[in-house]
Amino acid sequence: MPWCYTRLQKQTAMETPFQTANMSSVLVLNVTYEPLSVVSMRRAVVLLLKEKAEILEATEREIHAAHVSLPTPLVIRLVYYVRVPHRVLVPFSRRTVMMRDKHTCQYCGAQPSKAELTLDHVLPKVRGGLNTWENVVCACKACNNCKGSRTPEEANMTLRSQPQRPRYLAVVVLSSQSAHDAWVKYIPEMGDDLVGVTI
């Protein structure tokens, strides 16, 4: 059973500063359990106090507001349906490719430091390969050098996954340090992104 706070006193402002809790982020799900957005701790608590959401996952620590205490939320679910707007395309860049591939070499599976990671064109640029989601992958320097100007087949190297455009817009959020382990089971594919919905 989720933590439900339908009897909490409605408040429009917090009377206490939340201290370190303000630094955390909370995953927001639609009433249908579809991931919608990631909001600040303060925004999540306001939604709870206004009885617009319920807690699905929380830590053992408590947050204290005026006359109210509740567990620190990690995942909340709205009690009403929010219509999801059109999907926003994830911009193609070195940073977003690295996040899509979880900073992992798509050939050997290594996760070296960012300085040791490169972008590799599956079909090399010298042979007409384009800068597209479907043709660029994260690769460690050793694998990139080994592959050179060949295709993976020619170099006898196998891609761990077929590169493709992320379908949603939160690969940046899910790959950030604010992402929590408790979010994983509510997100079908961690490589996908969330829609930035204003709650």
Side-chain angles (χ1 to χ4, degrees), residues 54-67:
E54 62 184 9
I55 296 177
L56 294 183
E57 303 282 346
T59 69
E60 294 181 359
R61 295 182 60 186
E62 288 195 342
I63 293 178
H64 302 280
H67 313 297

Side-chain angles (χ1 to χ4, degrees), residues 3-73:
W3 300 88
C4 214
Y5 292 93
T6 56
R7 295 192 184 92
L8 288 180
Q9 177 182 354
K10 293 182 180 181
Q11 298 180 16
T12 56
M14 301 296 100
E15 295 183 19
T16 54
F18 293 125
Q19 302 174 354
T20 56
N22 264 339
M23 303 304 292
S24 302
S25 298
V26 179
L27 177 64
V28 181
L29 308 181
N30 213 338
V31 69
T32 58
Y33 290 89
E34 175 188 10
L36 284 181
S37 186
V38 174
V39 299
S40 67
M41 181 65 65
R42 178 176 294 275
R43 181 61 182 149
V45 172
V46 169
L47 288 169
L48 293 168
L49 294 176
K50 288 185 174 182
E51 302 176 8
K52 293 183 176 181
E54 62 184 9
I55 296 177
L56 294 183
E57 303 282 346
T59 69
E60 294 181 359
R61 295 182 60 186
E62 288 195 342
I63 293 178
H64 302 280
H67 313 297
V68 175
S69 294
L70 66 157
T72 303

Side-chain angles (χ1 to χ4, degrees), residues 19-176:
Q19 302 174 354
T20 56
N22 264 339
M23 303 304 292
S24 302
S25 298
V26 179
L27 177 64
V28 181
L29 308 181
N30 213 338
V31 69
T32 58
Y33 290 89
E34 175 188 10
L36 284 181
S37 186
V38 174
V39 299
S40 67
M41 181 65 65
R42 178 176 294 275
R43 181 61 182 149
V45 172
V46 169
L47 288 169
L48 293 168
L49 294 176
K50 288 185 174 182
E51 302 176 8
K52 293 183 176 181
E54 62 184 9
I55 296 177
L56 294 183
E57 303 282 346
T59 69
E60 294 181 359
R61 295 182 60 186
E62 288 195 342
I63 293 178
H64 302 280
H67 313 297
V68 175
S69 294
L70 66 157
T72 303
L74 295 172
V75 181
I76 63 174
R77 173 178 171 260
L78 299 180
V79 298
Y80 58 93
Y81 182 74
V82 171
R83 185 174 180 180
V84 180
H86 65 280
R87 301 291 183 181
V88 182
L89 295 179
V90 182
F92 176 85
S93 69
R94 174 186 172 84
R95 181 169 179 260
T96 53
V97 170
M98 293 283 186
M99 289 179 175
R100 179 200 65 183
D101 293 346
K102 301 180 181 69
H103 296 88
T104 302
C105 176
Q106 294 303 291
Y107 295 107
C108 70
Q111 292 183 312
S113 65
K114 290 183 180 180
E116 293 299 311
L117 280 174
T118 64
L119 294 185
D120 174 64
H121 289 77
V122 179
L123 177 63
K125 291 181 71 174
V126 295
R127 297 170 63 175
L130 303 176
N131 286 323
T132 63
W133 284 109
E134 296 77 12
N135 192 53
V136 177
V137 296
C138 189
C140 66
K141 286 184 177 180
C143 285
N144 203 340
N145 290 335
C146 179
K147 177 176 172 289
S149 60
R150 297 174 293 176
T151 66
E153 293 77 15
E154 292 169 347
N156 198 27
M157 299 170 70
T158 304
L159 281 169
R160 297 173 63 85
S161 61
Q162 195 63 32
Q164 57 186 326
R165 177 187 295 276
R167 288 182 292 168
Y168 306 105
L169 181 66
V171 66
V172 174
V173 175
L174 293 176
S175 300
S176 71

